[in-house]
Amino acid sequence: MNTTSSPAPRPAGTQEWRLVPALFTAVTLVAAGLSYAASDLPRSPLWLSVPYLVPLGLAAVTWLRPRTRAQRTNRILAGSIGAALALFYAKGVEAALFCIGLVVWLVQGD
């Protein structure tokens, strides 16, 4: 019985390029933390932080895409969009909740 395990062969054209996925994962987590801490959301219900999964999912895409030179631009684009979404999500939620509250107040007529 052969007990030696060799690493799975990589498809042709793939490269080990882990700097960008690691960088975008860290940047997305830091951006989400800064965005959440700088907003009024920490005093809000926890379910308002669930959409942070979208930017984290985009950061995960940078790990899952094939590591070919042709996919490098797609991976960088997905990571940068995820980091930007994480940075601006909290302010967008605050603006949306403010607009909803304003509309409800105007409809009530009080």
Side-chain angles (χ1 to χ4, degrees):
M1 177 177 261
N2 188 2
T3 59
T4 60
S5 64
S6 62
R10 292 185 300 183
T14 60
Q15 302 169 356
E16 290 297 322
W17 197 55
R18 294 186 178 150
L19 175 65
V20 168
L23 179 70
F24 278 122
T25 301
V27 167
T28 302
L29 289 172
V30 168
L34 289 175
S35 173
Y36 190 75
S39 70
D40 291 330
L41 292 179
R43 292 177 291 281
S44 298
L46 187 61
W47 64 267
L48 284 174
S49 63
V50 169
Y52 277 112
L53 295 176
V54 172
L56 292 175
L58 286 170
V61 166
T62 61
W63 288 98
L64 300 176
R65 300 288 298 183
R67 292 188 176 103
T68 60
R69 188 169 290 279
Q71 291 295 321
R72 187 174 287 183
T73 304
N74 294 339
R75 293 169 68 208
I76 290 173
L77 187 63
S80 59
I81 289 172
L85 282 176
L87 187 60
F88 297 115
Y89 166 71
K91 290 299 177 184
V93 168
E94 287 177 359
L97 290 175
F98 178 76
C99 289
I100 290 169
L102 185 62
V103 167
V104 168
W105 177 71
L106 288 173
V107 169
Q108 290 293 334
D110 196 55

